[in-house]
Structure formats: structure tokens, C-alpha cells
Amino acid sequence: MNTKEKIFDVSLDLFSKKGYDSVSLRKIAEEVGIKKSSIYSHYSSKEAILMEIFEYFTNQLEPENLPTTDNIFLSSDNETLLKNPELFYHQGSEAIKKMLSLERNIKIFKLIFIQMHYNETIRLFFQNEILVKPLIFWNDFFTILKEKGIINEDSNTKLLAKEYYSFPIYLLLELFAKYEDIPESAIDKFFKETEDHAKFILDSVKVK
């Protein structure tokens, strides 16, 4: 691991434990084992470190970068989506689960959920990347199913998207409120409950 990577990981660790605004560049440098001035060879500011953390996380969430070989790209000709939307959801769920197996990504989620009320940059990132973009994805998901006659034609796709997605967000908030270090068993339970919920929603609107 080079010095820039150490700065990244130490900063993320401190931000997720103590809060972004409570951590100074001097403290980061001490933990890395370098002088504060040496940080500027890699990052122009503390906010630049935060922005790189967010860029890394955003890239992790892109479908093409998720750790899976299954086809989870959303399109109107995706056979898995059209023939078995539950399997489509499961494939995406498994990809996110693998992503969350990395401690770095858990720390980023923790940083976002805990700090979004205290820092405007983090709040906006949460709003855009964790709320808005996924809701657009799930609205498109239900719109395709509606257009293909898989779910009822009177289905409200925007409402379904919010219902579909709000439950996992609630469970994540619950996890971070309950645990300092989230056990693997809790992660497994989280994904089982989200898939059970997804199936319940789909079953309620599928054409019989």
C-alpha cells in the first residue's frame, strides 16, 4: 500500500469513527506516520480526500463495477428481468452483498449515514447517490415490467420504487444504529429480509 492509499484508508477510518468535521489533517498525518505537509503531495485538502472517497464509492456502485458476472443491467430486452424479476433482484442483491463484504465500503456507508446531518457535502452525496439515483433505477425497473404486461397496468411505478427501496434503507439505518462493528450474520439477515420484501412487493402487483 502506497502513501496515498494509506491516507485514504486512515482518513476513512477516522471519518467513520469520529466524524468528518472532527478529524484534522494533522490527526490523519499522525495516524499515517507522516508530516501534515506531506499530505499535500497527494491531496490538496481534507475535502479532496472526502471527494475521492465518494468517487471511489460511486464507482463501486456502478453496475459494470459490481462484483458479479450476472447480467444486472436494466433494459427492456433483459431476459432475466422479463422472465424472472425476482432473480434479477437477487443477482443485484448478491452483487451488493459482495461489495459490502469489504470493510472499506461498510465504513463509507457508516460515514454517510451518521454524518449526513452534520455536513452539507455528505448530505448532498447521500441525497443524490443513495436516494435519487437508485429511485430512478427502480422506477425504470417497474416501468419496464408495466410496459411488458408483467405487473398490473394501473401500477404506480414511482410509488412502487419508493416502497421497494425504502425498506432496505431503513434496514441499513437500523444496522448502523445497532452495531459499532456489523457482524456477518447481521449482513446475511439484512439481505434475506430485503429479498423477502422485494418478492412480497412484486407478488402484490404481478399480473395473475
Side-chain angles (χ1 to χ4, degrees):
M1 182 182 292
N2 61 37
T3 301
K4 186 174 184 179
E5 290 171 337
K6 287 181 181 177
I7 294 170
F8 182 103
D9 282 335
V10 166
S11 299
L12 174 57
D13 187 60
L14 291 172
F15 294 163
S16 66
K17 289 179 179 177
K18 300 179 180 295
Y20 172 78
D21 293 328
S22 300
V23 176
S24 66
L25 283 176
R26 186 177 302 280
K27 179 61 176 175
I28 293 170
E30 287 176 0
E31 293 291 323
V32 175
I34 59 176
K35 294 180 180 179
K36 176 184 174 183
S37 58
S38 298
I39 290 180
Y40 296 112
S41 299
H42 306 281
Y43 295 100
S44 60
S45 64
K46 186 174 76 167
E47 186 171 6
I49 301 174
L50 182 67
M51 291 299 100
E52 182 149 321
I53 289 171
F54 285 163
E55 182 180 357
Y56 161 84
F57 192 62
T58 301
N59 288 336
Q60 289 279 297
L61 292 173
E62 291 294 331
E64 62 268 22
N65 295 327
L66 286 171
T68 180
T69 57
D70 294 315
N71 182 8
I72 57 173
F73 290 92
L74 189 64
S75 69
S76 58
D77 58 357
N78 185 309
E79 289 189 9
T80 301
L81 170 62
L82 301 180
K83 293 181 179 179
N84 193 339
E86 292 87 355
L87 178 58
F88 179 88
Y89 183 95
H90 174 71
Q91 291 174 346
S93 179
E94 285 295 301
I96 296 295
K97 186 176 182 179
K98 290 178 182 177
M99 190 197 82
L100 285 180
S101 68
L102 299 176
E103 186 179 3
R104 177 186 276 186
N105 293 327
I106 287 286
K107 288 179 180 178
I108 295 175
F109 263 119
K110 184 177 180 181
L111 164 65
I112 294 168
F113 281 126
I114 293 176
Q115 289 295 304
M116 65 180 173
H117 300 297
Y118 305 101
N119 182 279
E120 180 72 1
T121 301
I122 297 173
R123 185 186 69 80
L124 290 174
F125 182 85
F126 173 81
Q127 179 180 337
N128 293 327
E129 300 296 332
I130 306 299
L131 293 184
V132 175
K133 286 185 179 179
L135 283 176
I136 291 172
F137 177 91
W138 290 116
N139 180 58
D140 290 344
F141 169 86
F142 283 110
T143 297
I144 291 171
L145 296 184
K146 181 177 178 178
E147 290 173 348
K148 296 294 184 178
I150 296 169
I151 64 174
N152 297 323
E153 62 180 12
D154 61 348
S155 297
N156 184 325
T157 58
K158 289 184 178 180
L159 187 59
L160 281 169
K162 286 186 177 182
E163 174 61 33
Y164 214 57
Y165 186 61
S166 60
F167 185 64
I169 290 296
Y170 163 77
L171 290 181
L172 277 176
L173 287 168
E174 186 179 54
L175 279 178
F176 288 113
K178 186 174 182 180
Y179 297 105
E180 177 66 25
D181 295 308
I182 303 174
E184 186 176 345
S185 59
I187 295 290
D188 290 339
K189 182 182 177 183
F190 163 79
F191 280 100
K192 182 183 183 307
E193 290 183 348
T194 57
E195 291 208 39
D196 288 345
H197 174 261
K199 185 177 185 304
F200 171 78
I201 296 298
L202 273 172
D203 285 345
S204 70
V205 293
K206 265 190 172 182
V207 173
K208 305 302 182 183

